[in-house]
Amino acid sequence: MKAKKTEDEKRRDEIQALFSKVHTAPITQGPDGRWRTKVTTPDGKKKPISKTYLDDMERALNLNYFGIETAEKVKETVTIRSLYPIWLAEKKMLQEASTITSIESKWRNDIEPCEQLVDTPIKLLNVDIVKTWALRLLNGTDDKPGCKVGHFYNVKAIVNEILDKAIERDIVQHNVSRNTKIEGMQARKAKEKAARSENDDDEDLETIITLTDEELAKIEVAARELMKDEQTDRPLTYLMFLFAREVGLRIGELLELQHKDVMDDGLHVRRFYAYTEDSTNPETGERIYKIKKWLKNYKISRVIPLTDEARSILEEVKRFKDEAGITSEHIFSADEHPVDYGHANRCMKKLCRRAGLPDHRMYVFRKTWITALVDHSDLTLAQIANLAGNTPAVIMKSYYGRRDGLPDAKTISAALRNGSVTKNAQIIA
């Protein structure tokens, strides 16, 4: 076990942290009890100093680096990064180990990466710096998803407490983080609260519109006809709709599927094509879609077992692309570029009209898929939610369960068809 630090050792660590901007050499205690270190003099030389008391060591460091013995000058260099270990050491005396682990994780993932926030001297921190960090944390970047409001408040509380420590040490008079308000926060909180308290049209299994076996059969026939139509410029889009019936993906996930995502254990869903509120064309005001390398529920990936019908569609796609000489990595691309939302929407309208059905959104395939698994399979709701990529706040809030691993692909296929869809398609054809 590690020996508990003495008060002198804690004081030494505090001095080391406060001078971290200018002094990198360790402060150590020799066998005679004296404290030693090496300072860098103005001419660049290393000069050893030795002091009996740590207060004398602090004065010597101030004198060497700032030309004065008082601590006023060092206050101008203190940063959130240099105060963090001092604040954390005090926190460890009051909190359980699990809480400290959580704090360290938030520091490492959400605070420390913003160098402008943690390395700007606290005296120079302003609202703009704090707001830039906060909005990046909330909205996310191309490499990292944004966080929820509750998580943001927990992270910001760490920054607030560190800056409160700066006030205690007379480094600053006001906590700039506590005084920084983030625009739209109330609306964001209300939106998340609504998502927790109500089932949206994504998951409301009692009121959603789904396709019957007969309608699915008509859609399959219509899709085959449109693929053969000479005026169809991207035939694989219609195969994408048939594939959606088998895997229940969101449309943004379908558009970004690549051949490398198909593996022996199933389909690995890893990214989706979406838009964010701040991604608009400044001239036209139109939404700008971009690829996100995480899923809607902030997971890195999920796996969906592929039915025999799904694998048959993928084989058909491969044959089509080989014959047409298409080398795109995206599965449902009829050229070197993936299908976009606009084209997919137009094709969905043509498909419904050819099948003699009302206009449906592409999402109807996902709704039908989820409903089929709930109504006609022995899968637990936890397993279905895992396959669908739903968040616990929506579909999991009304039950408890555990995930028992990936179900067999035949289980999904039987639930989707119930022995009738393929037969109806053959009859209508």
Side-chain angles (χ1 to χ4, degrees), residues 42-88:
D43 59 4
K45 295 181 179 179
K46 297 291 184 181
K47 173 186 173 183
I49 58 173
S50 177
K51 300 293 178 182
T52 302
Y53 302 105
L54 285 168
D55 286 346
D56 292 337
M57 175 65 74
E58 183 179 9
R59 279 193 289 271
L61 292 175
N62 270 306
L63 185 61
N64 178 79
Y65 291 110
F66 305 113
I68 54 176
E69 292 189 9
T70 64
E72 290 304 316
K73 196 68 177 178
V74 75
K75 290 178 182 178
E76 298 180 7
T77 70
V78 175
T79 63
I80 289 178
R81 188 190 296 277
S82 61
L83 267 188
Y84 169 70
I86 300 171
W87 170 81
L88 186 64

Side-chain angles (χ1 to χ4, degrees), residues 111-316:
I111 302 174
E112 189 178 29
C114 184
E115 295 179 357
Q116 186 182 29
L117 176 73
V118 299
D119 291 331
T120 297
I122 292 174
K123 276 183 169 291
L124 301 179
L125 277 180
N126 56 47
V127 171
D128 288 339
I129 293 175
V130 176
K131 189 176 291 186
T132 298
W133 161 74
L135 290 175
R136 190 175 299 164
L137 183 60
L138 281 164
N139 296 330
T141 65
D142 288 344
D143 298 321
K144 184 179 180 181
C147 70
K148 292 186 178 296
V149 170
H151 178 83
F152 168 73
Y153 279 142
N154 290 335
V155 174
K156 192 167 183 281
I158 296 174
V159 175
N160 289 345
E161 290 189 22
I162 294 173
L163 293 179
D164 285 343
K165 181 65 63 179
I167 293 175
E168 290 177 16
R169 295 175 177 275
D170 294 324
I171 295 170
V172 289
Q173 299 299 314
H174 305 285
N175 188 330
V176 66
S177 177
R178 290 192 186 277
N179 296 330
T180 301
K181 293 184 178 180
I182 309 301
E183 291 83 353
M185 185 61 76
Q186 292 302 319
R188 191 186 294 258
K189 288 168 64 177
K191 185 177 179 180
E192 288 189 8
K193 184 177 180 181
R196 289 193 299 270
S197 61
E198 298 179 4
N199 286 338
D200 59 20
D201 65 351
D202 185 351
E203 321 303 346
D204 190 348
L205 300 179
E206 295 181 355
T207 61
I208 62 174
I209 298 173
T210 60
L211 297 170
T212 65
D213 287 351
E214 183 179 357
E215 289 172 330
L216 286 167
K218 289 180 179 179
I219 281 178
E220 182 169 354
V221 172
R224 299 292 178 187
E225 291 176 353
L226 286 168
M227 285 184 65
K228 298 175 183 177
D229 193 321
E230 294 182 355
Q231 296 182 348
T232 298
D233 58 347
R234 293 186 180 182
L236 290 184
T237 306
Y238 297 102
L239 276 183
M240 181 178 73
F241 296 144
L242 300 184
F243 189 73
R245 159 64 175 164
E246 302 298 323
V247 293
L249 297 186
R250 297 176 175 91
I251 184 61
E253 295 168 340
L254 278 167
L255 296 177
E256 278 304 315
L257 282 181
Q258 297 181 13
H259 290 287
K260 63 183 178 183
D261 298 329
V262 181
M263 298 188 179
D264 291 339
D265 59 341
L267 183 68
H268 287 241
V269 188
R270 318 178 211 234
R271 66 195 78 79
F272 76 109
Y273 185 60
Y275 74 91
T276 56
E277 294 177 0
D278 61 336
S279 296
T280 56
N281 186 317
E283 296 181 359
T284 64
E286 294 180 351
R287 295 168 175 172
I288 299 176
Y289 291 84
K290 58 183 179 181
I291 300 168
K292 296 188 176 181
K293 297 179 181 178
W294 63 86
L295 303 181
K296 190 174 181 180
N297 60 346
Y298 300 104
K299 299 294 184 183
I300 299 301
S301 66
R302 71 179 188 274
V303 181
I304 300 176
L306 289 170
T307 63
D308 290 342
E309 293 78 11
R311 290 192 179 277
S312 176
I313 291 172
L314 291 175
E315 286 296 322
E316 190 174 350

